[in-house]
Each structure stands twice: as C-alpha cells, then as structure tokens.
Amino acid sequence: KQEVTQIPAALSVPEGENLVLNCSFTDSAIYNLQWFRQDPGKGLTSLLLIQSSQREQTSGRLNASLDKSSGRSTLYIAASQPGDSATYLCASSQGGSEKLVFGKGTKLTVNP
Amino acid sequence: NAGVTQTPKFQVLKTGQSMTLQCAQDMNHEYMSWYRQDPGMGLRLIHYSVGAGITDQGEVPNGYNVSRSTTEDFPLRLLSAAPSQTSVYFCASSPGQGVGGYTFGSGTRLTVV
C-alpha cells in the first residue's frame, strides 16, 4: 500500500526566503506526482503535475522535482511571499485507475 | 468553464437521514473520484470511477454509494448519516490515461448531528 509522507508538517519563514518542501513515497510505481495548494476552508488548487517519465516541472516561482528511484519529490518556492502562505499537499497516482494517495501536507507561513 | 462543481457547499444532517452530494464536471474527463478530508487524517478516497457505468471502492467506502450514469455527473449518496461522516467532501476529475492531473471541486462541508 502506497504511503506518502510530507516533512515538515509546518514551516515558518521570512518573506523573500527560498524554501523546499519535501514529499516521500514508499512505492516507486507511480503514474504521476501532483502538488496542490489549499487555503483555509477552501478546495485544492493544482500547482504542478510531474508525469512518471519526467524529472521536474516549473511554473513561475515554483519548481517541482521527482526522483522515483529514491521515492522523493520536492517543491521549491523561490522568493517566498506572504501570499504563498497555505497548506501544500503532494499526491501520487497509482495504477491504471490513477487513484490519488495524499500526504498530510505542509502548512507554510510566510511572515512579512 | 466551470470545472468541477459541487453542491451543496454546506449541509447539516440528523443521524439516520440520507442525502446526495452532487458533483458535475464540464471538461469531458473520464476519471472522477470522491475524497473526504478530516483533521489529522488527510484526504482519503471514498469511491472512484474510470468512466460512465464503471465505479469502484476506495479506502473508506462504507456508508456511501455512487453511480456514474453520465460522463459529467458523479453523485455521492449517504445512505444513513452517522456523526462519523462529519467531514469535508471533495469531488475531483481527471482526463485519465496519464495525460493530465486532477481538478478538484470547492468541497461540501457536512455536519451530522
């Protein structure tokens, strides 16, 4: 059974800092790895999708990498801003049905 | 383009009542799924579908039913609500076949008293 772990559970940084969020998974036979953002009381917003054949994806100040052999993905946020404060979730998709297995998230606070 | 639409946004039920959470997507996605989100437990898969007429159970299916008569709609039925079903429910859809990721609805916050 796939298990997805995100460390740390919470992170507080000053504005402008570059930061890395970590995601690890136990089963390397994944289809995709997807990063989401969730604001309090809101739904999930997709940030980046890395397909199993890819190593990384970039969108603006965000860069996500995938290393299937080590069972790890990282989300790099450059020049963090207070508006980046949210919970970040990673999820792996498994098998032909592409069911998502989620980590419990990292709650990020960016202080002005 | 509405994406994934969930109704209602909030609902309070009494124990033993039944109800249906609605989910509709307008992206012609084949794959749809329901998750519940609970504090400390994260998001857990309830039921999923890989196409019209095809459904299967996820990690926590007990107390819930689904059907998929059209590509667009994937309703979740609570048969006899229990306080343990108090949660936030999310519907999601994906094109499948590895061509894209999941798009989530805004959620339904359900309280069972």
Side-chain angles (χ1 to χ4, degrees):
Chain A
K1 178 186 173 184
Q2 176 75 290
E3 292 182 3
V4 178
T5 303
Q6 291 186 248
I7 295 173
L11 181 64
S12 182
V13 301
E15 182 177 3
E17 192 161 297
N18 302 324
L19 60 101
V20 174
L21 305 181
N22 296 296
C23 173
S24 62
F25 45 92
T26 55
D27 184 354
S28 62
I30 65 172
Y31 223 70
N32 298 321
L33 194 291
Q34 195 167 358
W35 282 92
F36 296 90
R37 167 186 173 139
Q38 186 175 32
D39 294 290
K42 302 295 185 182
L44 280 69
T45 300
S46 180
L47 297 174
L48 289 165
L49 171 73
I50 311 175
Q51 296 179 334
S52 61
S53 59
Q54 299 173 325
R55 295 300 295 262
E56 65 178 338
Q57 284 287 330
T58 298
S59 176
R61 295 183 292 110
L62 305 180
N63 175 277
S65 67
L66 175 63
D67 184 343
K68 287 175 56 179
S69 61
S70 66
R72 293 183 180 180
S73 177
T74 61
L75 179 66
Y76 174 82
I77 302 177
S80 58
Q81 303 170 358
D84 294 330
S85 297
T87 296
Y88 291 80
L89 297 157
C90 71
S92 68
S93 67
Q94 311 295 130
S97 61
E98 298 181 25
K99 295 179 288 186
L100 290 179
V101 178
F102 281 87
K104 294 184 179 179
T106 294
K107 184 177 181 180
L108 173 66
T109 303
V110 181
N111 301 300
Chain B
N1 218 355
V4 179
T5 302
Q6 290 184 239
T7 57
K9 294 190 182 303
F10 302 94
Q11 184 70 49
V12 179
L13 285 180
K14 294 182 179 179
T15 297
Q17 286 185 319
S18 62
M19 79 159 296
T20 299
L21 306 185
Q22 301 291 344
C23 176
Q25 53 92 6
D26 61 0
M27 298 171 284
N28 202 31
H29 284 175
E30 286 296 320
Y31 291 13
M32 296 186 75
S33 50
W34 278 99
Y35 294 84
R36 60 178 289 174
Q37 186 175 35
D38 302 289
M41 301 295 292
L43 282 134
R44 293 178 292 170
L45 181 64
I46 306 172
H47 285 286
Y48 65 99
S49 169
V50 297
I54 305 169
T55 63
D56 207 345
Q57 296 180 353
E59 182 182 357
V60 288
N62 293 340
Y64 308 95
N65 271 356
V66 292
S67 60
R68 183 102 180 266
S69 56
T70 67
T71 299
E72 295 78 20
D73 299 302
F74 192 43
L76 178 71
R77 298 181 186 85
L78 279 69
L79 308 174
S80 177
S84 60
Q85 294 180 304
T86 294
S87 187
V88 181
Y89 292 84
F90 290 102
C91 179
S93 73
S94 161
Q97 308 301 321
V99 298
Y102 277 87
T103 300
F104 277 72
S106 58
T108 294
R109 186 173 296 274
L110 175 69
T111 302
V112 182
V113 298

